[in-house]
Amino acid sequence: MKKLHGKVALVTGSSRGIGRAIAERYGSLGANVVVNYSNGAHQARETVEAIERGGAKAVAVQADISKVADLDRLFATAIETFGRLDIVVASAGIELVGQPVLDFTETDFDRLFSINAKGAFFTLQRAAKHVADQGRIIYIGTSNTAYPLPGRALYGGSKIGAQFLVEVLAKEIGARGVTVNSILPTAIEGAGVFTGGVREEIRQFVQSFRPIQRMGTMDDIANAAEYLASDLASFVSGQHLLISGGAPA
């Protein structure tokens, strides 16, 4: 039997990138999956089709996580469709790098914090309200919060609040057997600013300081998400799993 057979997972921002990789992995493990997207209905349908080809059920739900009313509709639709929620992954986010503190604007701030901070906070709150006992809540953060770099103050700042919330929430709902953890990915090929590919000089730079001399992959993150969603991680909570190939970030 597949290890997530009978489980229901909701993954925000799962029409592309890391969210999609996690949604498809959970589907391959037998979970029924709620695929969330803000824009990109075609990509969301592709994700649903990929999950269904593997034998699991999936549904795509449009919702802007920066809007609490949309989040409420997303969670309500998930429960109406599948009857329960066992796993929630807060993956939706946007990335802005190479922006010095002296240069970012109020518009930049509002855009990043509305999704990466407000959206993540209320996703985790709704997850805590609706996930079943013994469930799993996972936040996709960033290695930038572990190792600050120039040009990343706004992005890292918008992501670190929900990382702190993970530790608090793990204590508040741990009695229900629900685990709450975060995954902190490093530079991942095909995700974020590398969605369109990786320039060779960037690849060489990464290899120069990373003990495991390569870029991170979608599978690296999906592997971590598989572990944290499984029974193997039933006693792991309030933790931040840094996926960086041995580097500090």
Side-chain angles (χ1 to χ4, degrees):
M1 181 181 292
K2 295 181 178 180
K3 68 173 66 174
L4 296 183
H5 178 75
K7 303 292 187 182
V8 177
L10 186 162
V11 184
T12 66
S14 48
S15 65
R16 58 186 176 83
I18 287 172
R20 179 171 181 168
I22 293 171
E24 291 185 1
R25 175 66 64 86
Y26 286 167
S28 75
L29 297 170
N32 296 327
V33 185
V34 179
V35 174
N36 161 249
Y37 68 100
S38 178
N39 300 298
H42 175 69
Q43 293 172 306
R45 285 195 298 271
E46 289 180 338
T47 307
V48 167
E49 290 167 1
I51 292 168
E52 291 179 338
R53 283 195 299 271
K57 297 178 180 178
V59 61
V61 182
Q62 190 283 329
D64 180 345
I65 69 158
S66 70
K67 299 175 181 177
V68 173
D70 276 23
L71 276 173
D72 285 337
R73 177 172 50 80
L74 171 63
F75 277 85
T77 302
I79 293 170
E80 288 167 7
T81 303
F82 293 118
R84 60 184 289 125
L85 269 178
D86 301 285
I87 304 161
V88 177
V89 181
S91 177
I94 56 174
E95 192 169 0
L96 177 67
V97 299
Q99 188 81 306
V101 172
L102 296 182
D103 293 343
F104 65 71
T105 66
E106 182 179 9
T107 299
D108 294 331
F109 180 96
D110 289 344
R111 181 166 175 260
L112 263 71
F113 274 76
S114 68
I115 297 173
N116 294 351
K118 178 186 174 183
F121 261 65
F122 282 99
T123 299
L124 295 172
Q125 183 195 61
R126 266 49 182 180
K129 288 182 177 180
H130 296 292
V131 76
D133 290 354
Q134 314 304 318
R136 303 285 183 265
I137 300 174
I138 302 167
Y139 167 62
I140 306 301
T142 173
S143 65
N144 286 162
T145 58
Y147 191 74
L149 292 170
R152 300 187 178 227
L154 196 60
Y155 174 61
S158 71
K159 297 287 284 185
I160 199 167
Q163 187 176 319
F164 180 78
L165 178 61
V166 161
E167 298 184 33
V168 175
L169 190 56
K171 293 176 172 64
E172 291 185 353
I173 63 175
R176 293 172 46 205
V178 177
T179 66
V180 189
N181 295 287
S182 67
I183 296 171
L184 309 182
T186 186
I188 301 298
E189 190 157 4
V193 296
F194 300 115
T195 299
V198 183
R199 299 197 310 273
E200 185 57 30
E201 59 266 31
I202 297 295
R203 194 182 301 279
Q204 291 178 3
F205 170 70
V206 167
Q207 292 174 350
S208 72
F209 70 86
R210 186 162 293 155
I212 298 178
Q213 297 178 356
R214 63 172 175 82
M215 296 283 292
T217 68
M218 300 289 194
D219 278 345
D220 292 325
I221 308 307
N223 290 342
E226 176 180 338
Y227 165 68
L228 290 175
S230 74
D231 290 341
L232 293 175
S234 63
F235 201 56
V236 177
S237 196
Q239 304 303 308
H240 311 293
L241 182 52
L242 180 63
I243 311 297
S244 67

mmCIF file of all heavy atoms in Angstrom, residues 86-108:
data_model
loop_
_atom_site.group_PDB
_atom_site.id
_atom_site.type_symbol
_atom_site.label_atom_id
_atom_site.label_comp_id
_atom_site.label_asym_id
_atom_site.label_seq_id
_atom_site.Cartn_x
_atom_site.Cartn_y
_atom_site.Cartn_z
ATOM 1 N N ASP A 86 -5.655 16.039 5.856
ATOM 2 C CA ASP A 86 -4.620 15.404 6.677
ATOM 3 C C ASP A 86 -3.277 16.110 6.589
ATOM 4 O O ASP A 86 -2.477 16.043 7.521
ATOM 5 C CB ASP A 86 -4.433 13.947 6.243
ATOM 6 C CG ASP A 86 -5.705 13.144 6.367
ATOM 7 O OD1 ASP A 86 -6.077 12.790 7.495
ATOM 8 O OD2 ASP A 86 -6.345 12.881 5.324
ATOM 9 N N ILE A 87 -3.029 16.757 5.449
ATOM 10 C CA ILE A 87 -1.737 17.397 5.205
ATOM 11 C C ILE A 87 -1.995 18.755 4.557
ATOM 12 O O ILE A 87 -2.758 18.838 3.593
ATOM 13 C CB ILE A 87 -0.864 16.553 4.253
ATOM 14 C CG1 ILE A 87 -0.668 15.133 4.786
ATOM 15 C CG2 ILE A 87 0.484 17.235 4.009
ATOM 16 C CD1 ILE A 87 -0.237 14.142 3.720
ATOM 17 N N VAL A 88 -1.366 19.791 5.086
ATOM 18 C CA VAL A 88 -1.429 21.114 4.458
ATOM 19 C C VAL A 88 -0.007 21.618 4.272
ATOM 20 O O VAL A 88 0.780 21.642 5.235
ATOM 21 C CB VAL A 88 -2.245 22.116 5.287
ATOM 22 C CG1 VAL A 88 -2.213 23.496 4.626
ATOM 23 C CG2 VAL A 88 -3.679 21.641 5.468
ATOM 24 N N VAL A 89 0.320 22.017 3.049
ATOM 25 C CA VAL A 89 1.632 22.576 2.751
ATOM 26 C C VAL A 89 1.441 24.019 2.297
ATOM 27 O O VAL A 89 0.770 24.279 1.290
ATOM 28 C CB VAL A 89 2.358 21.777 1.660
ATOM 29 C CG1 VAL A 89 3.743 22.385 1.395
ATOM 30 C CG2 VAL A 89 2.487 20.313 2.055
ATOM 31 N N ALA A 90 2.002 24.946 3.041
ATOM 32 C CA ALA A 90 1.958 26.373 2.691
ATOM 33 C C ALA A 90 3.174 26.663 1.817
ATOM 34 O O ALA A 90 4.257 26.980 2.313
ATOM 35 C CB ALA A 90 1.966 27.232 3.943
ATOM 36 N N SER A 91 2.972 26.543 0.504
ATOM 37 C CA SER A 91 4.079 26.671 -0.436
ATOM 38 C C SER A 91 4.029 27.955 -1.245
ATOM 39 O O SER A 91 5.063 28.407 -1.753
ATOM 40 C CB SER A 91 4.093 25.469 -1.393
ATOM 41 O OG SER A 91 5.103 25.595 -2.362
ATOM 42 N N ALA A 92 2.851 28.554 -1.388
ATOM 43 C CA ALA A 92 2.712 29.732 -2.239
ATOM 44 C C ALA A 92 3.588 30.877 -1.755
ATOM 45 O O ALA A 92 3.646 31.167 -0.551
ATOM 46 C CB ALA A 92 1.256 30.176 -2.281
ATOM 47 N N GLY A 93 4.272 31.521 -2.676
ATOM 48 C CA GLY A 93 5.110 32.654 -2.314
ATOM 49 C C GLY A 93 5.689 33.293 -3.562
ATOM 50 O O GLY A 93 5.621 32.728 -4.657
ATOM 51 N N ILE A 94 6.257 34.467 -3.408
ATOM 52 C CA ILE A 94 6.934 35.144 -4.501
ATOM 53 C C ILE A 94 8.322 35.558 -4.040
ATOM 54 O O ILE A 94 8.552 35.769 -2.848
ATOM 55 C CB ILE A 94 6.147 36.369 -5.010
ATOM 56 C CG1 ILE A 94 5.868 37.356 -3.867
ATOM 57 C CG2 ILE A 94 4.852 35.924 -5.679
ATOM 58 C CD1 ILE A 94 5.216 38.632 -4.352
ATOM 59 N N GLU A 95 9.226 35.664 -4.987
ATOM 60 C CA GLU A 95 10.631 35.910 -4.676
ATOM 61 C C GLU A 95 11.098 37.204 -5.320
ATOM 62 O O GLU A 95 10.777 37.486 -6.477
ATOM 63 C CB GLU A 95 11.483 34.736 -5.165
ATOM 64 C CG GLU A 95 12.903 34.750 -4.659
ATOM 65 C CD GLU A 95 13.619 33.433 -4.941
ATOM 66 O OE1 GLU A 95 13.008 32.516 -5.531
ATOM 67 O OE2 GLU A 95 14.804 33.334 -4.576
ATOM 68 N N LEU A 96 11.835 37.987 -4.566
ATOM 69 C CA LEU A 96 12.476 39.198 -5.080
ATOM 70 C C LEU A 96 13.866 39.263 -4.486
ATOM 71 O O LEU A 96 14.016 39.387 -3.264
ATOM 72 C CB LEU A 96 11.671 40.446 -4.691
ATOM 73 C CG LEU A 96 12.275 41.779 -5.119
ATOM 74 C CD1 LEU A 96 12.263 41.920 -6.639
ATOM 75 C CD2 LEU A 96 11.507 42.945 -4.482
ATOM 76 N N VAL A 97 14.878 39.156 -5.317
ATOM 77 C CA VAL A 97 16.262 39.168 -4.835
ATOM 78 C C VAL A 97 17.045 40.237 -5.587
ATOM 79 O O VAL A 97 16.572 40.804 -6.568
ATOM 80 C CB VAL A 97 16.927 37.786 -5.005
ATOM 81 C CG1 VAL A 97 16.180 36.725 -4.211
ATOM 82 C CG2 VAL A 97 16.996 37.395 -6.474
ATOM 83 N N GLY A 98 18.233 40.513 -5.106
ATOM 84 C CA GLY A 98 19.050 41.537 -5.743
ATOM 85 C C GLY A 98 18.510 42.932 -5.545
ATOM 86 O O GLY A 98 18.753 43.820 -6.368
ATOM 87 N N GLN A 99 17.782 43.142 -4.463
ATOM 88 C CA GLN A 99 17.149 44.434 -4.201
ATOM 89 C C GLN A 99 17.722 45.005 -2.897
ATOM 90 O O GLN A 99 17.298 44.625 -1.815
ATOM 91 C CB GLN A 99 15.634 44.240 -4.079
ATOM 92 C CG GLN A 99 14.826 45.519 -4.007
ATOM 93 C CD GLN A 99 14.601 46.123 -5.377
ATOM 94 O OE1 GLN A 99 15.542 46.357 -6.118
ATOM 95 N NE2 GLN A 99 13.355 46.378 -5.711
ATOM 96 N N PRO A 100 18.708 45.889 -2.972
ATOM 97 C CA PRO A 100 19.298 46.446 -1.751
ATOM 98 C C PRO A 100 18.262 47.170 -0.897
ATOM 99 O O PRO A 100 17.233 47.652 -1.395
ATOM 100 C CB PRO A 100 20.342 47.434 -2.283
ATOM 101 C CG PRO A 100 20.655 46.951 -3.664
ATOM 102 C CD PRO A 100 19.367 46.394 -4.180
ATOM 103 N N VAL A 101 18.550 47.260 0.384
ATOM 104 C CA VAL A 101 17.638 47.925 1.323
ATOM 105 C C VAL A 101 17.340 49.358 0.877
ATOM 106 O O VAL A 101 16.212 49.841 1.007
ATOM 107 C CB VAL A 101 18.231 47.914 2.746
ATOM 108 C CG1 VAL A 101 17.397 48.777 3.691
ATOM 109 C CG2 VAL A 101 18.316 46.484 3.277
ATOM 110 N N LEU A 102 18.329 50.036 0.330
ATOM 111 C CA LEU A 102 18.134 51.424 -0.072
ATOM 112 C C LEU A 102 17.233 51.582 -1.295
ATOM 113 O O LEU A 102 16.786 52.683 -1.602
ATOM 114 C CB LEU A 102 19.488 52.082 -0.360
ATOM 115 C CG LEU A 102 20.442 52.205 0.835
ATOM 116 C CD1 LEU A 102 21.717 52.918 0.410
ATOM 117 C CD2 LEU A 102 19.789 52.940 1.995
ATOM 118 N N ASP A 103 16.948 50.467 -1.966
ATOM 119 C CA ASP A 103 16.233 50.557 -3.242
ATOM 120 C C ASP A 103 14.801 50.042 -3.226
ATOM 121 O O ASP A 103 14.014 50.403 -4.103
ATOM 122 C CB ASP A 103 16.997 49.796 -4.333
ATOM 123 C CG ASP A 103 18.325 50.448 -4.675
ATOM 124 O OD1 ASP A 103 18.509 51.634 -4.329
ATOM 125 O OD2 ASP A 103 19.179 49.759 -5.260
ATOM 126 N N PHE A 104 14.443 49.167 -2.269
ATOM 127 C CA PHE A 104 13.093 48.608 -2.384
ATOM 128 C C PHE A 104 12.042 49.660 -2.052
ATOM 129 O O PHE A 104 12.283 50.614 -1.325
ATOM 130 C CB PHE A 104 12.910 47.327 -1.568
ATOM 131 C CG PHE A 104 13.010 47.450 -0.060
ATOM 132 C CD1 PHE A 104 12.025 48.084 0.677
ATOM 133 C CD2 PHE A 104 14.063 46.849 0.622
ATOM 134 C CE1 PHE A 104 12.089 48.153 2.060
ATOM 135 C CE2 PHE A 104 14.141 46.907 2.000
ATOM 136 C CZ PHE A 104 13.146 47.562 2.724
ATOM 137 N N THR A 105 10.860 49.462 -2.634
ATOM 138 C CA THR A 105 9.789 50.450 -2.551
ATOM 139 C C THR A 105 8.646 49.953 -1.670
ATOM 140 O O THR A 105 8.578 48.774 -1.307
ATOM 141 C CB THR A 105 9.228 50.747 -3.945
ATOM 142 O OG1 THR A 105 8.582 49.561 -4.445
ATOM 143 C CG2 THR A 105 10.331 51.181 -4.906
ATOM 144 N N GLU A 106 7.736 50.846 -1.368
ATOM 145 C CA GLU A 106 6.551 50.461 -0.602
ATOM 146 C C GLU A 106 5.729 49.428 -1.379
ATOM 147 O O GLU A 106 5.184 48.485 -0.785
ATOM 148 C CB GLU A 106 5.696 51.691 -0.297
ATOM 149 C CG GLU A 106 4.462 51.375 0.549
ATOM 150 C CD GLU A 106 3.642 52.610 0.851
ATOM 151 O OE1 GLU A 106 3.920 53.677 0.270
ATOM 152 O OE2 GLU A 106 2.708 52.495 1.671
ATOM 153 N N THR A 107 5.677 49.601 -2.687
ATOM 154 C CA THR A 107 4.949 48.633 -3.514
ATOM 155 C C THR A 107 5.588 47.253 -3.427
ATOM 156 O O THR A 107 4.887 46.236 -3.303
ATOM 157 C CB THR A 107 4.919 49.106 -4.979
ATOM 158 O OG1 THR A 107 4.235 50.356 -5.055
ATOM 159 C CG2 THR A 107 4.214 48.089 -5.860
ATOM 160 N N ASP A 108 6.927 47.204 -3.482
ATOM 161 C CA ASP A 108 7.634 45.930 -3.330
ATOM 162 C C ASP A 108 7.298 45.299 -1.976
ATOM 163 O O ASP A 108 7.008 44.105 -1.886
ATOM 164 C CB ASP A 108 9.147 46.135 -3.402
ATOM 165 C CG ASP A 108 9.635 46.602 -4.760
ATOM 166 O OD1 ASP A 108 8.986 46.271 -5.767
ATOM 167 O OD2 ASP A 108 10.668 47.307 -4.809
#
